[in-house]
Every structure is written in C-alpha cells, then in structure tokens.
C-alpha cells in the first residue's frame, strides 16, 4: 500500500511539473507595454517561489522511497527509477524557471535604465534649449556676448556617453521584441529633438563667435582711433601754444 501511495505521489508530482511547464514556460508572451512586462516579471517571481517550495515535497518523496527500497527492494527499485526521472525533470524545471525569471528581471532592469538615461538627456536638452534662448536679444556689449557664448559652449561640451547607452539599450530591447513600438517612438522623438536643438545651438554658437570677433575688431579700431586722436590733440595743442601759423603745419594738422 505504501508503494502504491508513493507511486501516486510521484505521478502527481510529474503532473504538477507538466502543468507548471505549460503555464510558465510554453506561453508565447508579447510584451507591448510596460505593464505587461512588469506583470510578467512578477508572475515569474511567483512561479520561481512556487517551484522551489516543492523542493521539500520532492525531498520527502526521495526519503520515503529510499526507506521503502531498504525494506522492500523489489518495490523500491521500480519507484527509485521513477523517482530519478521526477528528480531530473524537477531540476530541469527549476533551472528553466530560474533562467526565465532572471532574463525577465534583466529585461525590466534594461527598460528602467533606458528611462533613466532618457530623463537625464531630456533634462540636458531642456537646459540646452534654455541657453540658446538666453542668447537672443543680447545687449550690444562685448562682455554680454562673451558670457552668453561661454555659457552655451559649456552646455555643448556634454559627453555623448548617455546617448550611446540610450541607443544600445533601446536596440537591445527592440531586437528582443520587447516594448518595440513604445521604445521606437520614444527614441524617434528624442533623436529628432536632439538633432534639432544641437543644430540650432551650433549655429547660434558660430553666430556668437562671429559677432564677438566683429565686436573685438571694432573695439580695436576704436582704440587705435582714440589713441590717434589723443596724439593729434597733443600736437595741435603744442602748435597753438607755440603760436605756429596754420600754413606752417603739416598737411594733416591743417
């Protein structure tokens, strides 16, 4: 009777493993929204816990069959063979569910990381847009133009590492068919805004550099002119003091 019960327990265990495999491993999931992906992650965590909890039952079965085999070798031998199959299938099920759970957790982590990088780069784009707007309607002063140019250049020196991460993370998920529509839309919007603002900022940088160069050249010309006027004033004052007749002065002084 004990052998019959153990045989029944082994059959039930095998049936449970078959159902668990169908439910957790053979479903063809499509993760088209973050909610679907998150739900799948939570489901696989529960599946892993459920399967691992059966380890106690498997151990009890194993111990009971060993005890029976010690007492009744003929009955125990047949059950031991069935037990080995169940143990092998159970270990395989545990490994597959652990693997799928780990994969889904990695995918979810990849999605969260992508969102974080997008948030960082969006904040940088907002800052870049603000700096570009600050270069408009500047006072016609060299210091104001120079400060605006330096401020814009400091933002443009932003490293490209985050954008590389965004591209690689997004492509990894899209290649796996994970949230591909949502990610493609997000990346397209981000890249379009990045290209537009970067182009605008670089053009504005070039314009400010040219404006600054022109203002410096003008300042230099005014400085030279001022120095010449001072020298001419000194000479004229000297002529007047010495009561030199105008026709005796050099042509430029006349």
């Amino acid at each position: 009777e004990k052998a019959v019960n153990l045989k029944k327990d082994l059959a039930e265990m095998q049936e449970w493993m078959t159902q668990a495999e169908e439910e957790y491993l053979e479903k063809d999931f499509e993760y088209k929204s973050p909610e679907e992906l998150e739900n799948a992650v939570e489901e696989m965590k529960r599946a892993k816990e459920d399967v691992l909890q059966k380890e106690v039952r498997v151990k009890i079965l194993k111990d009971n069959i060993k005890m029976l085999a010690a007492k009744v070798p003929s009955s125990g031998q047949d059950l031991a063979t069935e037990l080995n199959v169940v143990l092998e299938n159970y270990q395989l099920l545990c490994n597959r569910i652990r693997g799928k759970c780990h994969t889904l957790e990695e995918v979810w982590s990849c999605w969260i990381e992508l969102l974080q990088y997008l948030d960082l780069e969006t904040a940088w784009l907002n800052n870049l847009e603000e700096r570009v707007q600050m270069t408009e309607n500047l006072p016609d002063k060299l210091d104001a133009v120079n400060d605006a140019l330096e401020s814009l250049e400091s933002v443009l020196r932003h490293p490209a590492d985050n954008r590389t991460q965004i591209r690689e993370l997004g492509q990894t998920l899209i290649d796996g068919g994970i949230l591909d529509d949502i990610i493609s839309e997000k990346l397209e919007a981000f890249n379009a805004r990045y290209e537009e603002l970067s182009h605008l900022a670089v053009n504005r940088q070039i314009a400010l550099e040219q404006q600054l160069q022109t203002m410096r050249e003008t300042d230099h010309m005014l400085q030279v002119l001022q120095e010449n006027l001072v020298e001419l004033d000194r000479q004229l004052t000297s002529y007047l003091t010495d009561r030199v007749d105008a026709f005796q002065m050099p042509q430029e002084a006349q």
Side-chain angles (χ1 to χ4, degrees):
E1 183 181 353
K2 188 170 183 180
V4 172
N5 289 335
L6 288 173
K7 190 176 183 67
K8 181 181 178 182
D9 289 342
L10 283 172
E12 289 177 352
M13 186 66 189
Q14 183 59 56
E15 183 181 357
W16 175 84
M17 288 190 295
T18 301
Q19 291 175 350
E21 185 172 352
E22 291 175 354
E23 183 175 357
Y24 300 128
L25 299 174
E26 294 182 1
K27 285 183 180 178
D28 187 18
F29 291 104
E30 286 189 2
Y31 311 113
K32 295 299 182 183
S33 72
E35 293 75 21
E36 289 179 0
L37 177 59
E38 187 175 20
N39 290 338
V41 172
E42 294 304 318
E43 182 179 359
M44 285 309 301
K45 285 181 180 179
R46 290 192 297 268
K48 185 172 72 171
E49 292 175 2
D50 190 20
V51 170
L52 293 179
Q53 283 175 358
K54 290 293 189 294
E55 188 175 1
V56 176
R57 184 181 176 187
V58 171
K59 187 178 184 306
I60 291 173
L61 272 172
K62 184 178 179 181
D63 292 342
N64 288 339
I65 289 173
K66 281 185 178 180
M67 290 174 60
L68 181 64
K71 294 179 181 178
V72 187
S74 58
S75 299
Q77 186 61 40
D78 292 338
L79 288 173
T81 302
E82 292 184 33
L83 174 65
N84 288 335
V85 174
V86 169
L87 289 176
E88 184 178 341
N89 290 342
Y90 176 72
Q91 192 59 52
L92 179 61
L93 179 65
C94 287
N95 291 339
R96 290 181 67 192
I97 285 183
R98 280 197 194 99
K100 185 168 183 179
C101 186
H102 177 73
T103 298
L104 283 176
E105 287 176 329
E106 287 291 311
V107 169
W108 179 254
S109 176
C110 189
W111 163 248
I112 295 301
E113 193 175 2
L114 173 63
L115 292 181
Q116 291 171 343
Y117 278 116
L118 280 172
D119 285 344
L120 286 173
E121 287 305 283
T122 298
W124 174 74
L125 285 176
N126 292 340
N127 189 21
L128 179 61
E129 186 175 26
E130 182 180 342
R131 296 297 175 91
V132 170
Q133 291 173 350
M134 289 171 60
T135 64
E136 299 173 358
N137 302 319
L138 290 172
D140 193 22
K141 295 181 179 179
L142 193 145
D143 288 345
V145 175
N146 187 60
D147 290 346
L149 178 60
E150 290 182 352
S151 177
L152 183 58
E153 286 177 336
S154 68
V155 180
L156 284 172
R157 284 193 290 268
H158 184 66
D161 297 353
N162 289 351
R163 293 194 298 281
T164 300
Q165 289 294 327
I166 288 172
R167 183 176 62 255
E168 292 178 353
L169 289 168
Q171 195 60 51
T172 297
L173 291 169
I174 290 173
D175 289 345
I178 310 295
L179 308 177
D180 44 356
D181 291 340
I182 292 176
I183 292 173
S184 296
E185 184 179 340
K186 282 182 175 291
L187 293 186
E188 184 177 348
F190 169 77
N191 289 330
R193 188 179 180 215
Y194 171 79
E195 291 298 329
E196 179 185 1
L197 277 175
S198 296
H199 183 69
L200 181 64
V202 169
N203 286 344
R204 192 64 185 137
Q205 179 188 19
I206 294 172
L208 287 173
E209 289 172 346
Q210 293 174 343
Q211 182 181 0
L212 192 61
Q213 180 65 26
T214 300
M215 294 178 76
R216 283 172 175 165
E217 290 175 356
T218 302
D219 273 8
H220 178 69
M221 291 173 59
L222 289 173
Q223 183 178 355
V224 171
L225 179 60
Q226 181 66 30
E227 290 174 354
N228 289 338
L229 288 174
V230 169
E231 176 61 21
L232 181 58
D233 182 67
R234 186 190 66 77
Q235 291 179 359
L236 290 175
T237 302
S238 173
Y239 292 153
L240 291 173
T241 302
D242 295 340
R243 299 180 180 276
V244 176
D245 187 87
F247 292 107
Q248 295 177 333
M249 296 182 186
Q251 185 64 34
E252 67 273 12
Q254 292 182 32

